[in-house]
Amino acid sequence: EVQLVESGGGLLQPGGSLKVSCAASGFTFSTYGMSWVRQAPGKGPEWVAFVSNSGSTTHYADSMRGRVTISRDNGKGSLSLQMNSLRPEDTALYYCVRTWRENTFDMWGVGTMVTVSS
Amino acid sequence: EIVLTQSPGSLSSSPGERVTLFCRASQSVSSNYLAWYQQKPGQAPRLLIYGPSNRVTGIPDRFSGSGSGTEFTLTISRLAPEDSAVYYCQQYGDTQWTFGQGTKVEIK
């Protein structure tokens, strides 16, 4: 069974930094691109970042470029998102997502909540 | 960045009825890169349709997608009680992914 389990969310003050992680299992992790998608309370999903299967290519949403870094460890089956200079508008549930054919998102974790508030 | 606008914002229909959801893009989308998701309360979104008319394995055939260019539709041919959810369209283009704001479907 495909599983994506996020961790690392929490409450932090504006301007702070946080690293969220995802443990993948049940599929050959190294053959899939992976993404982070966030969803603010009561809002629609918003793509944040993508990393190719090898880790050599990354793409970022304009809203977060320069403040986030996505990375992966294929040996450990893990995905990470380092977030800096966090703002209240970054408050959201952050999902680890498998990127599938035609650049869709076919498998989602349960998410980890990040709350930015003073 | 391509902006996706979904309509209507919400709808309410009876079981067995046919409903059509719309997704309009601010510029042309490669048809291969348009998808639809279903999200129920407290759950992650679930991929239904991609490319834009291919159903994911296990998705009932009452769900169908179509469209091209800037206009896409998701049709539920015979609404079932379990179809109550928010539906999102999503596109990929130019190394960016975007979602629509969603259509909430309620069952009468």
Side-chain angles (χ1 to χ4, degrees), chain B residues 15-37:
Chain B
E17 289 191 342
R18 179 187 183 95
V19 299
T20 300
L21 284 58
F22 300 91
C23 177
R24 173 173 290 176
S26 59
Q27 53 188 284
S28 187
V29 174
S30 166
S31 293
N32 286 352
Y33 295 141
L34 194 288
W36 291 91
Y37 298 78

Side-chain angles (χ1 to χ4, degrees), chain B residues 37-61:
Chain B
Y37 298 78
Q38 176 192 66
Q39 187 175 32
K40 297 182 178 181
Q43 297 182 15
R46 177 174 71 149
L47 178 65
L48 299 176
I49 303 278
Y50 65 94
S53 58
N54 303 289
R55 265 189 312 277
V56 173
T57 300
I59 300 303
D61 62 6

Side-chain angles (χ1 to χ4, degrees), chain A residues 11-27:
Chain A
L11 171 64
L12 60 159
Q13 294 190 336
S17 296
L18 190 68
K19 185 174 186 177
V20 293
S21 300
C22 170
S25 61
F27 66 102

Side-chain angles (χ1 to χ4, degrees), chain A residues 39 47 60 102-103 105, chain B residues 32-33 37 39 90 96-97:
Chain A
Q39 189 166 26
W47 168 74
Y60 297 97
E102 278 75 37
N103 287 296
F105 304 123
Chain B
N32 286 352
Y33 295 141
Y37 298 78
Q39 187 175 32
Q90 169 255 314
Q96 299 285 298
W97 287 256

Side-chain angles (χ1 to χ4, degrees), chain B residues 11-108:
Chain B
L11 65 88
S12 180
S13 290
S14 299
E17 289 191 342
R18 179 187 183 95
V19 299
T20 300
L21 284 58
F22 300 91
C23 177
R24 173 173 290 176
S26 59
Q27 53 188 284
S28 187
V29 174
S30 166
S31 293
N32 286 352
Y33 295 141
L34 194 288
W36 291 91
Y37 298 78
Q38 176 192 66
Q39 187 175 32
K40 297 182 178 181
Q43 297 182 15
R46 177 174 71 149
L47 178 65
L48 299 176
I49 303 278
Y50 65 94
S53 58
N54 303 289
R55 265 189 312 277
V56 173
T57 300
I59 300 303
D61 62 6
R62 64 179 181 272
F63 290 92
S64 63
S66 66
S68 64
T70 61
E71 305 284 343
F72 298 88
T73 61
L74 174 70
T75 299
I76 309 174
S77 60
R78 300 172 303 279
L79 200 61
E82 60 267 31
D83 298 337
S84 178
V86 180
Y87 293 83
Y88 296 98
C89 57
Q90 169 255 314
Q91 71 83 36
Y92 167 81
D94 223 10
T95 73
Q96 299 285 298
W97 287 256
T98 56
F99 288 86
Q101 85 282 13
T103 292
K104 185 175 184 177
V105 174
E106 179 187 271
I107 313 300
K108 288 181 182 175

